[in-house]
Amino acid sequence: MTNNRTALGLSMIVISMIVLVSFSVPIYDLFCRVTGYGGKTNTSEFLSSTILERDINLKFSADVNDSINWSFEAPKNLNFKVGENLLVNYKATNLSEDENSGTATFNVLPEKVGPYFIKTQCFCFEKQTLKPGETVDMPVVFYVDPSINEDPTMQDVEEITLSYTFFKYIE
């Protein structure tokens, strides 16, 4: 009887962990959207129509979790103006001999900039499937909302880092 309870308890723990891992990316996305945690950005269907004279230095980062055999390259760092609409391309390559899928999470640093960093197009949190050896460009279109200039807590922001990490897609 004790062995059966122990086996059942351990089985429930393993099942719970599998479910948590399987849904970690969508759960993380939902958590960040609700709380603003991790520099979660806003999205919009519309581009910016106002460009200010304030310059921002933008750094890019690209990482791949050990769960997927891909390479992932960030665009070159750049300087741009607040309100300027930009298109950059990350580049992903499937290094394995099998077709496989991944999904990316992202964050923006400093975290307080998240609400002002507006993405109008992004590959993040969407299933990306690559054939063996395939390389694709993954575009991100964004701008920094000009209302950042009206927030006194944002006056010290001169540099922003946009970071993505790819994970194996689990269905």
Side-chain angles (χ1 to χ4, degrees):
M1 184 97 151
T2 304
N3 288 341
N4 288 342
R5 270 197 219 164
T6 303
L8 181 62
L10 290 173
S11 297
M12 293 305 291
I13 290 171
V14 168
I15 290 170
S16 298
M17 293 174 102
I18 290 170
V19 168
L20 183 60
V21 167
S22 298
F23 293 103
S24 61
V25 171
I27 290 170
Y28 177 76
D29 181 47
L30 178 63
F31 172 76
C32 291
R33 286 182 194 275
V34 171
T35 65
Y37 177 78
K40 183 68 177 171
T41 65
N42 284 320
T43 58
S44 174
E45 296 177 8
F46 305 102
L47 296 173
S48 173
S49 59
T50 304
I51 298 176
L52 305 179
E53 286 304 312
R54 180 176 174 184
D55 287 325
I56 300 282
N57 183 24
L58 186 58
K59 292 186 173 187
F60 299 96
S61 173
D63 296 300
V64 179
N65 181 272
D66 290 339
S67 64
I68 190 166
N69 188 15
W70 285 14
S71 72
F72 188 45
E73 299 172 31
K76 292 189 185 292
N77 298 341
L78 56 87
N79 223 358
F80 73 105
K81 302 230 178 267
V82 169
E84 183 178 356
N85 299 298
L86 291 172
L87 163 67
V88 297
N89 284 299
Y90 280 77
K91 186 174 291 202
T93 302
N94 179 355
L95 302 175
S96 76
E97 295 181 10
D98 301 310
E99 179 178 283
N100 55 46
S101 300
T103 186
T105 61
F106 71 93
N107 66 19
V108 174
L109 296 173
E111 290 181 5
K112 67 182 183 177
V113 174
Y116 297 99
F117 196 93
I118 312 298
K119 291 185 298 176
T120 60
Q121 179 184 345
C122 183
F123 59 87
C124 49
F125 297 111
E126 295 178 7
K127 179 180 175 183
Q128 307 292 328
T129 302
L130 299 179
K131 294 181 170 97
E134 181 179 13
T135 298
V136 296
D137 285 336
M138 297 192 167
V140 181
V141 178
F142 62 91
Y143 63 92
V144 172
D145 190 328
S147 66
I148 195 171
N149 270 11
E150 299 165 15
D151 186 339
T153 66
M154 297 293 150
Q155 296 306 316
D156 64 333
V157 174
E158 297 176 1
E159 182 176 280
I160 297 173
T161 301
L162 179 60
S163 177
Y164 287 88
T165 302
F166 253 101
F167 294 87
K168 183 177 181 82
Y169 183 82
I170 300 173
E171 296 188 54

